[in-house]
Amino acid sequence: MLRISIDKLDELFESISAKQTLYIPTDREDGAAEYKKYESGIKLSGKLNTLRSAKDFFFPQTENLVDFKMEGKTIEVIDTREESEDFVVFGVRACDARSFTILDKVFLADPVDSYYKNRRDHGTIVTMACTRPAETCFCQTFDIDPTAPEGDVACWNDGKYIYFAWRNEKGEAFLDCLSDVLEDAEPEGIAELNAKTKDIMKRLPLADLSTDSFGGDRLMEHFNSEKWGELSESCIGCGTCTFVCPTCQCYDIKDFDTGHGIKRFRCWDSCMYSDFTKMAHGNPRLTQLERFRQRFMHKLVYFPANNNGEFGCVGCGRCLSKCPISMNIVKVMKALEVKE
């Protein structure tokens, strides 16, 4: 294991950014944390998590796919793809790190999404273990250990030092390049630090939230539940929950006439919108109830049914804190829980 003193963090970030583009979570003026490209003077946020997840680095909110240039009846197709630069995302929490494995199952399955893969191949994920979980956290419900985050490199902050351990070959190569600022160390105090975090997790309000009532074998039972009407009644279809979610992967593809040609781009979409999946003949989900049901059935039933039991949620808690009418996946799980 390697470590660096907290008061030498700037040296670490300068060393990383000299080799690759570095992004770290930093505090905005309003107090929320967001990822920003590192520049001298930017400080690492002490917040538990960022407003939006690190998903943006691999599946951005908007991206150009291809350009078309038209002259008369002649159409020239212009491939706009470029090889991504190498970059590092520092301080990713365990919940967001797990979201990448969920997105991988979508975008790296045949046919592979080359835009997503390009970024995944060039990105290095440096995760940070949690020490102060929030009351909205429920990652343990999905078998995520916040004290042992995944990623290429994992870190632990004991308040005096940040400790580093590589998780794979990419992570090992990354740490090898930082030998000038990192020192060898025994992980003294890490076990105690993790034990304290796990003790906090046991006492959180959602510590007992269970997925036992969900999965692929519960499809028709939940689909036909009479509770969807009441649950969806207050939903305003704003899509906030989908835009802060680290695992939502829905997108739309549109063409934009620049006056000099056509740009085809994709942008995030939301299953909560009334025009989502709208086709020439109309929309297969005409009511908010149907759209609301689709979102949560996908997370809790459809996705695990097609991915060996893995759920489409990582318990980050963003939808709990950001929904304007306080509706979220936890309330749905509790309402639909099957009493044995």
Side-chain angles (χ1 to χ4, degrees), residues 197-310:
T197 302
K198 290 182 178 180
D199 184 58
I200 295 174
M201 296 296 292
K202 292 177 182 178
R203 293 182 278 112
L204 291 179
L206 303 177
D208 296 326
L209 187 67
S210 172
T211 60
D212 290 348
S213 296
F214 302 94
D217 58 341
R218 302 277 193 175
L219 196 158
M220 296 311 299
E221 176 182 0
H222 288 313
F223 188 88
N224 294 321
S225 174
E226 296 180 353
K227 296 178 181 179
W228 290 115
E230 182 180 352
L231 287 168
S232 64
E233 189 174 14
S234 58
C235 179
I236 59 176
C238 65
T240 298
C241 54
T242 57
F243 274 65
V244 299
C245 179
T247 65
C248 279
Q249 67 265 176
C250 291
Y251 61 85
D252 194 6
I253 295 178
K254 298 184 178 182
D255 289 346
F256 175 69
D257 188 348
T258 65
H260 305 286
I262 303 296
K263 286 189 175 294
R264 176 164 294 172
F265 68 97
R266 70 174 168 188
C267 55
W268 291 354
D269 204 349
S270 174
C271 56
M272 306 299 274
Y273 293 163
S274 59
D275 61 351
F276 182 74
T277 67
K278 187 175 182 179
M279 295 170 278
H281 78 284
N283 195 323
R285 302 188 188 100
L286 295 175
T287 66
Q288 195 60 38
L289 183 154
E290 291 171 299
R291 295 188 285 271
F292 182 93
R293 179 177 60 191
Q294 164 64 23
R295 169 168 168 75
F296 296 107
M297 285 290 287
H298 181 254
K299 300 286 188 188
L300 300 170
V301 180
Y302 304 152
F303 196 86
N306 293 291
N307 292 279
N308 299 315
E310 182 171 13

